[in-house]
Amino acid sequence: MRLQPSRRRFIQGLMSIIALSAIPLQLLARSTKAFQATALETVYKELFGDLPVEESADIMLEIPDIAENGAVVPVSVTTRIAGAEAIYVVIDMNPNPLSATFKLTPASPADISIRVKMGKSSMVRALVKTADKVYMTAKEVKVTIGGCGG
Amino acid sequence: MHKARLICVVGALMLTSACGQSEPEPESVDALPEATAAVVIDQARAAYELARQKQHAWTLTADLIESASIALANNDEAQALVDAKRALFTANASLAQAEKEQHAWRSRVAQ
Amino acid sequence: MEARKVKMRGKIKNTVAQIKVLMEHPMETGTRRDEAGDVIPAHFIQEVICQHNDQVVLSVEWGTSISKNPYFAFKINDANPGDVVKVSWTDNLGETSAGDITLK
Amino acid sequence: MKISLGIMLTLVLTLGSICSVHADPESDRLAFVRFYTERFPNIDIQAHQDGAYALDAAKREQWLEMEEFPPYELAVDEGEALFALAFKNGNNYAGCFDNAGVGVKQQFPMFDAVSNQVVTLELAINQCRQANQEPELAYLSDEMAYITAYMAFTSRGNTFAISVPQAGVAAYEQGKQFFYERRGKLDFDCSSCHMTNAGNNLRAEVLSASVGHATHWPTYRFKWEQVGGLHKRFVECNEQVGAEGLAPQSEAYRNLEYFLTYMNNGMALNGPASRK
């Protein structure tokens, strides 16, 4: 009885490996150094080289002012910046500030939601990269300490 | 909504007692002055077991019995005695609580 | 070993599909300790690939700060009923899994 | 004449026994509900099934966002598969419950006059396993959490109508006493936090109302990072006031669940749920 679903899942897993191997390599080149960076400047340097980061009102970063639960903080990012190639989510005070990168294609509108972990109150940044520019918007998020084990 | 986020006095008071490390002062300990740590640990353990049976044991008592036992095992008689007396005090307090609550709970029932 | 679950939901609104995904994964940061005090090794999803009828539409990289059992929502342009949307992930230990849905 | 007198007598006796059986728990419940409607005049009593999220709009908003794809979904799926598995003797869980176990969680806990005890869903699951020569599940096991999560999911929206027969009054009263008895170093009872201070903040947390405390189990707690039952929460509550927790599904906890669930009569089941 139980074998069948697991077999199906195994095949699914196999198929996903086959599917993954067909994906162009440059899409899979992981920004390992940027994810391992511990300082915001290093993250910027690894992701954007010398491109300046400028603030923009055209990035909508939706995140609660006070996080109900630091283990699951909902984050949504949308942008109307033309030619957006990628979205980045950065949490300054986390041990490794870079949380996520999303490489966009014309087939996908720049509109993503995730849930992140936040160890403590921090500035949270959403960045959007175009061919030659980097835009950023930021929001301060307070993470409350969970009472007496509350 | 901001008002709701304020820590109310009651909450703060509850928290102080919830998170604080303060323990009851072991002043009124029954143990005789010459009692050894081992004896007091046994007394504490007996009182604690009784409190457990009454479903009124405190976590603090178990912690103190354990630290007293560890101190005793390390030949630290003085520390073991201090912890054992605290353990006995809290065990007796939990028994007193169990006794009092047999009746006291009724006054709190929503009317 | 059974592949971990990838649950998906999708809805088309004015040719744009909203896709929601829940992935079963511990997302260990590598900084937590177990009860014995030993460090729990990092184990987290690094890559997520989103495909629309086999066309890669979004490729995602994650660090360790994505919540346990990650939730991820995104959108797809020019979606039609019958289209297949697939999400596959790979974690730092080389484990993979995938899920798909057919849009209605 | 004789007959009508007989009927009269029977009626009076029946009425009398109904009153003596039901008057106390029901007047307790009405007083309980009244307490919360007076304390929170703008909150519908049913809304308390969402705990602190009924009392704090900002927290509720984030929680609702989480509920879009809630963390217990995976547990419900697991539970559905486990529930359908056949025992070695060919039977399955469905054979142990009304309506093949679908949509029945609101029947629990119930007082079983034969074994003279409160039977929770968890206990009934293990009784079912025992009756089918299967080993009992540990009460804190994932398997127990998953199966109850699935059974709760199929019971959503069903209304609690727990009854306290004459034989169950003692268990109910013991549960009530446990609720109002102070415990631990902090000398708190359940009502200290969830009645006297319901709606107040304990640091960043909002203390929930007790009415609705039993509607939404099992619950995925982010702190636990898993789905767990009501008794796991009881242990935690006891420990938070410095009292030693009791064994899950111990008689005292089952009686407490009986009292708490009776207080939720008329409310809808909304488990499994997610909490911080």
Side-chain angles (χ1 to χ4, degrees):
Chain A
M1 275 265 323
R2 294 221 64 178
L3 278 177
Q4 226 149 6
S6 76
R7 224 177 82 99
R8 201 187 65 218
R9 282 180 194 163
F10 176 65
I11 292 166
Q12 269 183 1
L14 260 185
M15 280 169 62
S16 72
I17 292 168
I18 295 162
L20 280 175
S21 61
I23 290 159
L25 258 180
Q26 68 268 23
L27 277 176
L28 290 175
R30 184 169 168 77
S31 329
T32 306
K33 281 186 178 165
F35 276 104
Q36 286 173 345
T38 53
L40 184 65
E41 307 84 77
T42 326
V43 172
Y44 280 6
K45 184 101 191 147
E46 291 296 337
L47 291 177
F48 314 123
D50 293 326
L51 282 181
V53 174
E54 61 179 80
E55 290 205 28
S56 166
D58 291 331
I59 305 170
M60 279 67 72
L61 168 63
E62 236 183 279
I63 186 166
D65 299 331
I66 300 175
E68 214 271 300
N69 179 359
V72 271
V73 185
V75 185
S76 294
V77 184
T78 56
T79 180
R80 45 176 177 251
I81 294 172
E85 291 178 347
I87 295 174
Y88 305 84
V89 176
V90 174
I91 303 161
D92 289 13
M93 299 303 284
N94 272 4
N96 302 111
L98 180 58
S99 180
T101 74
F102 302 85
K103 298 227 167 69
L104 306 166
T105 64
S108 176
D111 185 339
I112 57 95
S113 301
I114 48 172
R115 296 168 186 167
V116 299
K117 296 176 200 165
M118 291 182 66
K120 52 183 145 181
S121 299
S122 172
M123 201 61 117
V124 175
R125 296 164 199 275
L127 297 108
V128 170
K129 187 176 176 296
T130 64
D132 53 2
K133 277 194 157 161
V134 182
Y135 301 92
M136 187 270 289
T137 191
K139 202 171 155 188
E140 174 90 45
V141 176
K142 287 204 170 63
V143 176
T144 53
I145 299 179
C148 308
Chain B
M1 226 49 257
H2 288 280
K3 200 175 169 193
R5 285 195 198 112
L6 285 176
I7 300 163
C8 74
V9 176
V10 183
L13 279 174
M14 282 158 61
L15 191 85
T16 317
S17 47
C19 296
Q21 292 302 304
S22 64
E23 288 153 17
E25 287 300 314
E27 287 164 342
S28 60
V29 166
D30 300 329
L32 298 170
E34 67 268 26
T36 64
V39 169
V40 183
I41 288 172
D42 283 347
Q43 288 173 343
R45 202 170 267 140
Y48 166 72
E49 281 305 326
L50 198 58
R52 283 194 67 175
Q53 283 168 30
K54 295 174 187 283
Q55 298 169 344
H56 266 275
W58 295 2
T59 50
L60 178 61
T61 311
D63 294 345
L64 287 168
I65 289 173
E66 197 194 340
S67 58
S69 304
I70 291 170
L72 191 64
N74 293 333
N75 291 322
D76 189 348
E77 171 74 19
Q79 186 61 48
L81 191 62
V82 168
D83 288 342
K85 283 179 175 176
R86 282 184 178 165
L88 180 60
F89 177 81
T90 61
N92 285 333
S94 69
L95 283 171
Q97 181 188 53
E99 186 65 31
K100 176 173 154 276
E101 288 303 309
Q102 275 305 308
H103 307 286
W105 69 273
R106 290 190 185 278
S107 66
R108 299 179 199 117
V109 177
Q111 297 298 333
Chain C
M1 197 171 83
E2 283 190 14
R4 294 175 200 271
K5 275 191 197 152
V6 177
K7 296 202 69 173
M8 293 175 65
R9 281 185 201 148
K11 219 188 320 184
I12 303 176
K13 205 175 162 185
N14 303 330
T15 76
V16 175
Q18 165 85 64
I19 311 294
K20 292 174 181 172
V21 195
L22 188 69
M23 307 170 210
E24 182 183 20
H25 202 284
M27 297 302 284
E28 281 296 345
T29 57
T31 55
R32 296 201 316 157
R33 286 173 189 278
D34 62 16
E35 278 167 19
D38 298 324
V39 171
I40 304 170
H43 187 198
F44 60 100
I45 294 176
Q46 284 189 317
E47 234 116 29
V48 183
I49 304 292
C50 310
Q51 286 162 282
H52 178 204
N53 293 338
D54 295 332
Q55 183 80 37
V56 173
V57 289
L58 189 62
S59 58
V60 181
E61 287 181 278
W62 283 344
T64 54
S65 64
I66 301 296
S67 304
K68 181 183 169 169
N69 293 337
Y71 168 82
F72 172 39
F74 61 98
K75 285 181 177 164
I76 293 177
N77 291 328
D78 305 321
N80 294 298
D83 287 1
V84 176
V85 179
K86 180 171 176 176
V87 169
S88 357
W89 59 252
T90 309
D91 69 21
N92 65 321
L93 304 180
E95 217 182 289
T96 67
S97 189
D100 58 59
I101 49 158
T102 305
L103 296 175
K104 281 180 196 146
Chain D
M1 249 335 243
K2 239 184 190 173
I3 295 168
S4 61
L5 196 74
I7 291 172
M8 284 270 283
L9 203 69
T10 318
L11 261 175
V12 168
L13 280 176
T14 315
L15 269 176
S17 71
I18 285 172
C19 290
S20 68
V21 168
H22 294 282
D24 286 346
E26 192 54 15
S27 56
D28 283 351
R29 190 185 70 80
L30 293 173
F32 205 75
V33 167
R34 191 164 54 241
F35 174 87
Y36 290 106
T37 46
E38 279 167 12
R39 187 173 181 91
F40 304 106
N42 299 322
I43 296 173
D44 186 71
I45 203 78
Q46 177 69 43
H48 289 294
Q49 64 176 1
D50 293 334
Y53 304 124
L55 308 176
D56 183 309
K59 286 179 197 291
R60 182 176 184 82
E61 199 179 312
Q62 292 176 49
W63 173 73
L64 282 176
E65 203 158 325
M66 215 64 68
E67 285 287 302
E68 276 184 17
F69 223 139
Y72 50 75
E73 273 218 15
L74 298 162
V76 171
D77 287 353
E78 296 281 345
E80 185 172 9
L82 288 167
F83 186 84
L85 278 186
F87 300 135
K88 282 186 222 72
N89 65 6
N91 297 342
N92 58 20
Y93 289 112
C96 295
F97 296 93
D98 288 351
N99 197 36
V102 174
V104 297
K105 191 181 185 294
Q106 74 287 352
Q107 298 176 352
F108 295 92
M110 56 171 77
F111 190 82
D112 176 39
V114 178
S115 59
N116 195 36
Q117 64 172 339
V118 172
V119 176
T120 58
L121 180 63
E122 287 84 351
L123 203 71
I125 285 170
N126 267 345
Q127 285 175 345
C128 176
R129 294 181 64 88
Q130 260 189 322
N132 286 288
Q133 301 86 47
E134 293 284 330
E136 289 187 19
L137 297 176
Y139 287 115
L140 297 180
S141 65
D142 284 345
E143 200 169 335
M144 182 60 91
Y146 295 157
I147 293 170
T148 52
Y150 167 69
M151 291 183 77
F153 189 74
T154 67
S155 312
R156 277 189 170 182
N158 295 351
T159 306
F160 284 98
I162 302 299
S163 70
V164 180
Q166 186 61 48
V169 169
Y172 168 88
E173 282 293 323
Q174 278 166 27
K176 183 165 97 182
Q177 180 172 349
F178 197 98
F179 183 88
Y180 287 109
E181 253 190 58
R182 294 203 168 156
R183 259 164 240 282
K185 183 179 79 171
L186 299 192
D187 201 34
F188 275 24
D189 64 292
C190 303
S191 78
S192 316
C193 284
H194 299 292
M195 294 184 88
T196 315
N197 282 299
N200 289 343
N201 283 44
L202 188 57
R203 240 190 216 178
E205 309 305 328
V206 174
L207 290 164
S208 56
S210 259
V211 69
H213 265 171
T215 62
H216 54 85
W217 297 90
T219 287
Y220 185 102
R221 269 177 68 89
F222 284 97
K223 183 179 161 192
W224 299 340
E225 295 198 315
Q226 59 175 336
V227 173
L230 178 57
H231 293 207
K232 182 172 172 154
R233 187 70 185 97
F234 286 163
V235 171
E236 203 175 49
C237 278
N238 280 163
E239 287 175 351
Q240 278 169 333
V241 302
E244 238 170 51
L246 309 179
Q249 300 302 322
S250 58
E251 191 186 1
Y253 276 176
R254 277 182 287 122
N255 292 345
L256 176 60
E257 179 175 342
Y258 192 36
F259 166 75
L260 268 182
T261 316
Y262 189 91
M263 293 298 108
N264 293 175
N265 269 358
M267 297 178 77
L269 189 147
N270 63 330
S274 70
R275 293 286 187 275
K276 184 171 179 176

